[in-house]
Amino acid sequence: MSRVSEGVVVGVDIGGTKVLAGVVDDAGRVVRTARRTTPGRRVVTSRVEDALLEAVLEAAGSAPLEGVGVAAAGFVDSAGDRVMFAPHLPWQGEPLKDLLEDRLGCPVGLDNDANCAARAEARYGAARGAASALMVTMGTGIGGAVLLEGRVVRGANGMAGEFGHMQVVPDGQPCECGRRGCWEQYSSGNALVRNARALMVEQPSVLADMTDGNPDRVTGPMVTSAAEQGDLVARRSFASVGDWLGIGVANLVAALDPEVVVIGGGVSAAGDRLLEPARDALRRTLVGAAHRRVPDLLAAELGPQAGMIGGALLVG
């Protein structure tokens, strides 16, 4: 991918809360990064692109750019040119590839962030050697990707793998996509925080000490810290998110029958606190579980760098 004498390849992961850019070398290692805060959903699109460019240029430093690969949290068209819709960003039909190529003066690759993470995990991480795999990414929401015969399946519109917006509860929690009851409203970083805020009102919790008793101040890292201290509210919050994760994965496995399911994204850093209840729910709810090999449910190996690494693979 990157050759020092000729320049660098930068991968960019842009989601609902942050822009993370990194120089990626030929072995898939991220050697230098830069970060910006995502301006938000209700801003002009140029502000998001400005933040993205700032992060790319800071990461590249004085080295010339060979290419930039963008892993975007949204629906990317089949040609890899436009972000058609992004639940947590203002893009609707945004011709992001051309806009960035004009401003950066180098080739730009574009795909959904989960597709990029899946490419990275298939090349360097937890899905190495698997002919078929599912990737589920858990952060602000849920993304996903399907790998068959080692290739990402993008679908007719480029929008395959948007698992987070499968409806799991009719007339359930409202979702930022405009519908109700989407899977990501029950198994994501947002769901983890919402669970903890509701539960801490009902029973004692160290979260009350962390927030001066104000549930609105609870954050995801606080819930993780509280769970590590044995706090029952935090652990119950993780158990609920993990249970819903396993239920959703069971539906995907019933449809696609993969060898392995890889769980990535920021929430997956909780490890077995999240994955054990998910494995239990997968075995409990998967059709025919007693008569088939239940796929391994594994934590992604590349962590928060997977999107950047997979983005770089688009142009490397």
Side-chain angles (χ1 to χ4, degrees):
M1 280 176 284
S2 64
R3 292 176 292 278
V4 173
S5 60
E6 299 178 20
V8 295
V9 167
V10 174
V12 184
D13 188 356
I14 178 165
T17 58
K18 68 180 184 302
V19 180
L20 191 61
V23 174
V24 182
D25 70 13
D26 295 321
R29 295 183 296 256
V30 178
V31 297
R32 189 167 58 253
T33 64
R35 176 175 176 145
R36 292 292 186 278
T37 299
T38 304
R41 185 183 180 190
R42 295 175 177 83
V43 299
V44 293
T45 59
S46 61
R47 285 189 58 193
V48 181
E49 289 143 23
D50 288 345
L52 192 156
L53 262 69
E54 289 174 10
V56 167
L57 295 175
E58 181 180 329
S62 60
L65 288 168
E66 287 188 359
V68 173
V70 179
F75 298 167
V76 176
D77 69 351
S78 58
D81 293 332
R82 294 175 177 266
V83 181
M84 303 306 296
F85 173 68
H88 307 287
L89 294 165
W91 291 325
Q92 293 188 30
E94 190 76 357
L96 189 62
K97 182 178 187 295
D98 287 347
L99 287 170
L100 294 180
E101 286 184 341
D102 287 345
R103 295 183 69 177
L104 290 168
C106 69
V108 171
L110 173 65
D111 201 356
N112 171 267
D113 55 351
N115 287 344
C116 290
R119 287 186 181 91
E121 291 291 339
R123 175 77 67 89
Y124 302 111
R128 286 191 308 273
S132 62
L134 296 177
M135 179 90 187
V136 177
T137 57
M138 301 179 66
T140 306
I142 287 182
V146 181
L147 290 117
L148 295 177
E149 298 182 355
R151 298 175 62 88
V152 172
V153 177
R154 301 193 69 241
N157 295 292
M159 299 178 185
E162 286 295 334
F163 309 138
H165 297 286
M166 300 185 303
Q167 188 182 54
V168 295
V169 180
D171 296 321
Q173 290 282 349
C175 182
E176 291 192 47
C177 74
R179 300 167 67 242
R180 301 183 73 93
C182 292
W183 184 27
E184 69 174 43
Q185 293 305 313
Y186 300 88
S187 189
S188 64
N190 283 349
L192 179 71
V193 170
R194 187 176 63 246
N195 290 344
R197 288 174 175 172
L199 288 169
M200 69 178 281
V201 175
E202 301 173 4
Q203 63 188 83
S205 170
V206 299
L207 290 169
D209 298 329
M210 294 179 181
T211 62
D212 293 325
N214 184 353
D216 291 339
R217 294 175 58 186
V218 172
T219 65
M222 286 180 184
V223 181
T224 300
S225 175
E228 290 170 351
Q229 298 174 50
D231 182 73
L232 184 59
V233 163
R235 292 196 169 194
R236 285 178 61 189
S237 300
F238 270 109
S240 175
V241 168
D243 190 67
W244 275 109
L245 173 61
I247 291 168
V249 167
N251 290 330
L252 297 174
V253 171
L256 298 166
D257 195 24
E259 292 178 44
V260 64
V261 180
V262 178
I263 309 299
V267 181
S268 69
D272 284 345
R273 189 174 295 114
L274 175 75
L275 296 182
E276 281 305 316
R279 291 176 181 125
D280 289 344
L282 171 59
R283 290 188 290 266
R284 184 181 76 243
T285 59
L286 176 62
V287 61
H291 309 287
R292 66 193 294 171
R293 178 188 172 277
V294 178
D296 294 330
L297 188 62
L298 303 175
E301 294 181 3
L302 302 177
Q305 297 185 335
M308 288 187 294
I309 295 168
L313 288 171
L314 295 172
V315 290

